[in-house]
Amino acid sequence: MQQRPHSSLFNYLNYIIILMTTLALAACSNTKYLQKNQLLYVDADVDVKGEASSIEKQDIRSSLTSKQLMMQQSNTLLMGTRFKVWLYNQKYNEKKSNWFWNLMLAPRNLEEPMIYDSMKTKESVKRMVSYLNNQGYFYATVDYEESIKRQKVNVTYKVNTGKNFVINKIRYEIPDTNLLKLVKESESLALVKSGMAYKQEVLGSERERLMRVIRNAGYYKFDRDAIEFEIDTLHKTLFRNLMNPFEGIVNVYNERKGMDRPKMDITVKIWNPEDSSIRYQQYTLDSIIAYPDYPSYGSTADSMFKTTTRRGLVIRYRQDILKPAVLYRSVLLKKNERFSQQRTNDAINRLYDLGAWQFVNLQYRERKDTPNTLNTYIFMTPKRRQEIGANFEVSTSSDYPLGSGVSLSYRHLNVGRSATQLNVSLNTGIELIRTQNKWMLQSQEIGGQVSLIFPRFITPFRIAQRSKSTVRTRLTTGIDYLTRSEKFYISNVNASFGYEWNQSLYKRWIVKPISLNYVGVNLNSLFRDSTVNKNPYLKRSFEPVFIGGENVTYIYSNNDLLHRNHYSYFRANIEESGGWLNGINSLWGSISGKGTNLESLTNMPIANFLKLEADYRHYWTLTNHTTLATRIYGGVGIPYGKSDVMPYIRQFTAGGPNSIRAWRLRTLGPGIFKDSSITASNFPDQTGDMKLEGNIEYRFDLLRLFNGSINLKGATFLDMGNIWMLRKDTIRAGGEFRLKNLYRDLAIGTGAGLRLDFSFFLIRLDWGVPVKVPYFTGNKNGWYLSEWHLGNSQWRRDNIIWNVAIGYPF
């Protein structure tokens, strides 16, 4: 019997209708089991009015909806329904129980219906008013309205901010002249300034800043409680406890209601110790005593400790696990220097950065025989010196049905008792394809790498190291063999020497002044004659070559507790090949005097190129369960000198699980070119000299499975970009970059994905479908939506690309 046209489409529509019906029933049944006097709390809105700016109102609205201020939070929504509440009812009211329901009805997937409590709403109003007062809106009012329909209630909070107070003058009342001098010297860095709007948390931050300034100047016993703030000339301390609301402050300033922007004066007070005859004293460090292998439950009086001294550093040890010179260089604190809280933190971080210790504990103890001096004790618990690891992966992709890989690693954390790390890794992998009901090997790779990481700069001249910077010198060598069955065999021998350091908390540099690659290529004769020799660009790309030059990488990332709502990542990389290697080649030829040089001896040319890359990412945490991730990437490779193409291993590709996911790996571009020849089926790889790419991905949580050990997450995404040639290629027409054709050349794809998050790693499955195709001729702009036939199984096989990968794409 002939199948009815588009029957698959009808089946999909039926599934969608069933899903929508189920969700609609879930939404309607959430009030089914409520008592008559109960209301389901479904939503809350904050309507902010007043004299605040639109941006300030938006920030206020966001703050007032937090759990700390809004006592009741509505149940979470999934596709517009309270699906977790529906699951809760299935378990506790419908009493569902079988293998499927036991999986779905895990405790983390359930939410008890949020029953409305008017008393919590009134308490929320009080908290909101206190919060607004703390932000300087002392005339703020908050009211609320309830909207009830079908046993569901919506609450709207009516907020009027009134006028915000502005700081007029800042005075200091500090009896200790030394402390007053310190505070005045750092006044340019003060967080509280004249003319700024008053906010309570700013005063809290200013208190912490002043405490750091004073403690960093040597005042070991100074405490933050000695710092107080007073408003105007009333001498009423308001901030001894920063969490205390401003009781009665509205009445104090009622007389100023008529002012355009009411102003306040702030007096900063730093009290002397309770005994008025005692002043705060600066402390100096005396003995520095380090325990590099202190046991978890050890004692400093243990007779097992041996003692040695290195330039004033006393080292007490049980086993000689680290050279005294290395430990002395790593301990930043020195005898007779003044106490500083910042330097103390830097000293702890420096010791952790060595990677040899699991715990570092630094303690100060006052000397009884010498006033205002401290003995410093550093207790360190070492890690295991050696680690062995193994990893096995199985993957699949639209490019190959089955792939697997095995990697082995060995790590020594303290080579030669110098805190030098030795890393050794071995890896191998294969990709299998299935043709004519038989599995065939598509590619295989095997390689290894050895790295030595020294915890200092190794240079012919001395470089001063900042106390906050983490310094590494890395020496790496490795070899890799890649085979594409019946196509080519590439051997890549590499070595590099370079430095890594943190410029600041967020900025990091990787500089490799020496980077060498020897790339050997062996082409299959049939592949060479049928594919490579017909394309001059491809032929030159597959030539054996020496790559030697420099590499500089700059990384900025502010992903920390201070940037919870949104954070950025930026990476810029510059690689040059041929500069100093050509110099050696010329010098060699001059010295030999026989017309021989490095190129003639090895019969390999030196690659000359400059490669620039920039990768910017930004992440927004929208709610506790949703994130918006974005990425912009740009790269260009410019051959120069005797080279007119980039080496194959340095060229750009597009498509695949970590790029534009609506295209298969390495099949997109360049430009509007599409290879529809027999060559494409034999060797689909497309490369270019330039790449532009942009990605947007909305990530959200779905369910927690197996008592929360696995999190099922979802995502929708939009990818766009392409690769291009810098020069016109007669074989690949339309592949060159032209700024005026950028919009035409862009490929756009969209799709959705699922992620299984195991905490320590993540498995990702993405489906991508093209939206705009640069080589599509059916529409002058290349939009592909009119060609979508989701009900056609053959069209889905040809156009919907699925990818399986480990980890997020960005």
Side-chain angles (χ1 to χ4, degrees):
M1 180 181 296
Q2 187 176 6
Q3 187 178 10
R4 186 177 61 175
H6 306 299
S7 61
S8 298
L9 177 60
F10 291 133
N11 290 335
Y12 277 103
L13 290 175
N14 289 334
Y15 294 148
I16 293 174
I17 292 173
I18 292 172
L19 177 61
M20 293 180 65
T21 303
T22 302
L23 292 175
L25 291 174
C28 296
S29 62
N30 288 334
T31 59
K32 180 179 179 181
Y33 302 99
L34 297 182
Q35 299 178 13
K36 290 184 178 180
N37 62 339
Q38 290 181 328
L39 297 173
L40 182 66
Y41 181 74
V42 295
D43 195 14
D45 188 27
V46 178
D47 182 17
V48 181
K49 295 182 179 179
E51 302 194 19
S53 66
S54 58
I55 296 178
E56 290 173 333
K57 289 180 180 178
Q58 184 177 353
D59 292 339
I60 290 172
R61 187 179 297 107
S62 176
S63 299
L64 295 183
T65 56
S66 66
K67 293 182 179 180
Q68 290 76 16
L69 301 180
M70 193 175 288
M71 298 290 291
Q72 282 192 298
Q73 300 287 321
S74 59
N75 296 111
T76 55
L77 295 176
L78 176 63
M79 297 181 66
T81 68
R82 292 164 184 80
F83 187 64
K84 291 188 175 184
V85 176
W86 182 75
L87 290 177
Y88 176 91
N89 288 329
Q90 299 306 303
K91 179 173 184 177
Y92 293 106
N93 293 307
E94 297 289 346
K95 307 297 183 183
K96 297 289 180 62
S97 177
N98 55 41
W99 70 269
F100 172 77
W101 286 109
N102 290 338
L103 178 65
M104 293 292 295
L105 301 180
R108 293 182 179 270
N109 295 338
L110 309 180
E111 278 191 8
E112 187 175 356
M114 181 59 67
I115 307 301
Y116 178 63
D117 186 344
S118 60
M119 296 301 295
K120 290 184 178 181
T121 301
K122 295 177 181 178
E123 177 62 27
S124 299
V125 168
K126 293 180 181 179
R127 295 192 177 196
M128 290 178 183
V129 172
S130 296
Y131 171 80
L132 291 169
N133 290 341
N134 293 341
Q135 303 305 304
Y137 296 99
F138 298 130
Y139 307 141
T141 60
V142 180
D143 201 354
Y144 69 93
E145 292 181 357
E146 301 171 348
S147 177
I148 302 173
K149 187 177 181 181
R150 297 177 183 175
Q151 277 193 283
K152 297 178 182 179
V153 60
N154 293 275
V155 177
T156 301
Y157 292 90
K158 303 286 187 177
V159 178
N160 192 320
T161 61
K163 297 177 181 179
N164 185 223
F165 275 75
V166 174
I167 298 173
N168 182 32
K169 295 180 181 179
I170 301 171
R171 301 185 180 92
Y172 296 95
E173 190 175 319
I174 305 174
D176 191 314
T177 56
N178 292 327
L179 295 187
L180 177 61
K181 182 180 178 182
L182 274 177
V183 172
K184 296 291 286 185
E185 287 176 348
S186 68
E187 191 174 9
S188 60
L189 301 176
L191 303 177
V192 179
K193 298 180 182 296
S194 298
M196 67 180 294
Y198 168 81
K199 292 185 183 295
Q200 177 199 5
E201 64 265 23
V202 175
L203 264 66
S205 300
E206 175 67 3
R207 167 182 277 181
E208 296 299 320
R209 188 194 70 84
L210 290 173
M211 185 195 69
R212 289 194 301 270
V213 167
I214 296 171
R215 285 181 63 84
N216 289 340
Y219 292 91
Y220 172 69
K221 287 191 172 182
F222 185 83
D223 188 79
R224 62 172 55 85
D225 288 341
I227 304 174
E228 295 180 355
F229 299 93
E230 289 185 353
I231 288 183
D232 212 346
T233 56
L234 300 177
H235 301 288
K236 180 181 179 181
T237 301
L238 302 173
F239 299 99
R240 184 178 293 274
N241 180 2
L242 288 175
M243 300 303 294
N244 187 31
F246 294 87
E247 298 178 359
I249 198 168
V250 175
N251 294 329
V252 174
Y253 290 102
N254 272 341
E255 62 188 35
R256 299 190 178 185
K257 280 188 176 182
M259 296 178 62
D260 182 32
R261 289 295 298 272
K263 298 180 179 180
M264 61 168 57
D265 296 338
I266 294 180
T267 301
V268 181
K269 289 190 173 186
I270 299 181
W271 300 108
N272 282 333
E274 293 183 2
D275 186 346
S276 58
S277 62
I278 302 176
R279 293 167 58 121
Y280 288 110
Q281 301 293 327
Q282 292 175 308
Y283 280 73
T284 304
L285 305 186
D286 190 43
S287 299
I288 313 292
I289 307 167
Y291 293 82
D293 59 343
Y294 195 77
S296 301
Y297 300 97
S299 170
T300 55
D302 193 336
S303 60
M304 296 289 292
F305 286 111
K306 305 172 187 176
T307 303
T308 187
T309 302
R310 173 81 179 189
R311 298 183 185 178
L313 174 66
V314 179
I315 303 174
R316 303 196 65 199
Y317 61 96
R318 305 203 302 179
Q319 297 181 11
D320 192 10
I321 65 172
L322 198 68
K323 294 178 180 178
V326 176
L327 188 58
Y328 174 80
R329 189 168 56 243
S330 303
V331 175
L332 297 181
L333 303 178
K334 306 302 178 186
K335 186 175 181 178
N336 297 326
E337 73 177 20
R338 186 175 291 170
F339 164 80
S340 168
Q341 186 63 58
Q342 183 61 57
R343 193 160 176 79
T344 300
N345 298 336
D346 293 342
I348 295 173
N349 292 334
R350 170 68 65 82
L351 290 170
Y352 269 121
D353 289 338
L354 286 181
W357 289 286
Q358 187 171 6
F359 301 108
V360 176
N361 182 20
L362 192 151
Q363 298 179 8
Y364 292 107
R365 299 175 186 174
E366 289 189 71
R367 291 194 58 144
K368 297 181 179 179
D369 55 344
T370 308
N372 305 328
T373 57
L374 299 170
N375 284 338
T376 306
Y377 295 85
I378 307 174
F379 304 103
M380 294 164 277
T381 303
K383 292 181 179 178
R384 292 187 177 184
R385 293 189 187 183
Q386 303 181 68
E387 300 174 352
I388 297 177
N391 186 38
F392 176 75
E393 293 182 1
V394 177
S395 62
T396 184
S397 171
S398 57
D399 193 48
Y400 56 88
L402 181 63
S404 65
V406 178
S407 60
L408 304 174
S409 63
Y410 167 78
R411 189 181 183 195
H412 196 299
L413 299 177
N414 191 11
V415 176
R417 301 187 299 114
S418 62
T420 299
Q421 295 183 18
L422 170 65
N423 295 333
V424 180
S425 63
L426 299 172
N427 60 80
T428 181
I430 61 172
E431 295 176 3
L432 300 175
I433 59 174
R434 189 172 178 83
T435 60
Q436 299 178 353
N437 297 324
K438 296 170 62 175
W439 288 99
M440 297 181 61
L441 181 66
Q442 175 173 267
S443 68
Q444 60 182 356
E445 184 176 9
I446 184 171
Q449 184 171 277
V450 179
S451 297
L452 277 173
I453 305 171
F454 305 91
R456 65 187 186 280
F457 280 128
I458 298 180
T459 58
F461 47 86
R462 179 177 175 80
I463 296 179
Q465 180 179 342
R466 295 175 57 190
S467 60
K468 294 184 180 180
S469 63
T470 301
V471 170
R472 299 277 190 274
T473 298
R474 184 185 293 266
L475 176 63
T476 302
T477 183
I479 188 169
D480 185 78
Y481 299 97
L482 173 63
T483 302
R484 292 287 293 271
S485 297
E486 301 180 353
K487 293 181 179 65
F488 59 77
Y489 168 84
I490 295 179
S491 58
N492 181 13
V493 181
N494 61 81
S496 65
F497 176 84
Y499 309 101
E500 305 171 6
W501 73 93
N502 294 334
Q503 178 183 344
S504 64
L505 182 62
Y506 302 140
K507 300 175 183 179
R508 184 168 176 247
W509 289 88
I510 303 173
V511 176
K512 297 179 182 178
I514 300 176
S515 179
L516 284 170
N517 282 77
Y518 162 85
V519 183
V521 181
N522 188 3
L523 299 177
N524 176 275
S525 58
L526 178 61
F527 174 66
R528 181 183 61 239
D529 296 336
S530 64
T531 303
V532 177
N533 287 345
K534 294 182 178 180
N535 188 330
Y537 178 85
L538 199 60
K539 182 179 180 180
R540 295 192 298 271
S541 300
F542 274 112
E543 291 177 348
V545 71
F546 262 128
I547 302 174
E550 322 77 45
N551 191 297
V552 178
T553 302
Y554 169 76
I555 299 173
Y556 174 88
S557 177
N558 61 351
N559 182 13
D560 58 11
L561 294 177
L562 299 177
H563 301 84
R564 294 180 178 179
N565 295 330
H566 62 92
Y567 60 93
S568 300
Y569 171 89
F570 175 73
R571 179 179 179 272
N573 183 74
I574 302 175
E575 180 184 6
E576 189 277 335
S577 173
W580 58 263
L581 198 56
N582 284 327
I584 294 177
N585 188 54
S586 299
L587 183 61
W588 191 328
S590 300
I591 294 175
S592 66
K594 299 179 181 180
T596 60
N597 54 28
L598 184 62
E599 288 182 317
S600 61
L601 287 174
T602 60
N603 197 28
M604 281 191 174
I606 295 173
N608 297 268
F609 65 85
L610 180 66
K611 186 176 182 181
L612 309 174
E613 295 176 277
D615 186 346
Y616 175 74
R617 309 173 188 182
H618 199 87
Y619 303 85
W620 285 272
T621 302
L622 305 179
T623 67
N624 291 334
H625 305 285
T626 60
T627 302
L628 183 66
T630 60
R631 175 177 64 175
I632 300 175
Y633 172 87
V636 61
I638 306 172
Y640 71 89
K642 294 179 291 184
S643 299
D644 55 1
V645 298
M646 297 271 291
Y648 178 76
I649 63 172
R650 291 294 194 269
Q651 293 173 6
F652 297 98
T653 64
N658 296 318
S659 181
I660 304 174
R661 285 162 278 185
W663 275 263
R664 291 182 172 88
L665 189 67
R666 303 185 294 268
T667 60
L668 178 61
I672 64 172
F673 174 76
K674 177 178 173 58
D675 193 352
S676 56
S677 64
I678 299 177
T679 303
S681 59
N682 186 38
F683 186 70
D685 294 27
Q686 297 296 333
T687 61
D689 304 323
M690 177 180 175
K691 181 177 180 179
L692 294 175
E693 187 171 310
N695 312 85
I696 301 174
E697 185 167 285
Y698 177 71
R699 301 167 182 170
F700 49 90
D701 294 346
L702 290 175
L703 296 172
R704 293 178 180 263
L705 306 175
F706 304 106
N707 294 324
S709 59
I710 301 176
N711 294 332
L712 178 63
K713 301 182 177 182
T716 59
F717 57 84
L718 182 71
D719 304 325
M720 64 184 71
N722 207 336
I723 58 172
W724 290 269
M725 306 295 299
L726 292 182
R727 301 176 182 176
K728 190 172 183 179
D729 188 344
T730 57
I731 303 297
R732 297 186 289 181
E736 68 276 7
F737 177 77
R738 294 288 184 270
L739 183 60
K740 64 180 181 179
N741 296 330
L742 177 60
Y743 171 74
R744 181 199 65 179
D745 294 353
L746 283 179
I748 301 177
T750 188
L754 293 174
R755 290 93 168 87
L756 283 177
D757 189 351
F758 294 85
S759 297
F760 53 94
F761 77 99
L762 180 138
I763 298 176
R764 173 166 55 92
L765 176 62
D766 287 327
W767 289 271
V769 59
V771 173
K772 180 179 177 295
V773 180
Y775 46 78
F776 177 53
T777 59
N779 184 300
K780 65 177 182 179
N781 293 323
W783 291 101
Y784 201 61
L785 292 171
S786 61
E787 298 297 309
W788 280 20
H789 297 288
L790 296 177
N792 188 306
S793 59
Q794 183 61 43
W795 187 93
R796 294 196 303 271
R797 282 193 295 270
D798 294 339
N799 291 273
I800 297 181
I801 307 301
W802 57 279
N803 301 276
V804 176
I806 303 296
Y808 285 109
F810 56 91

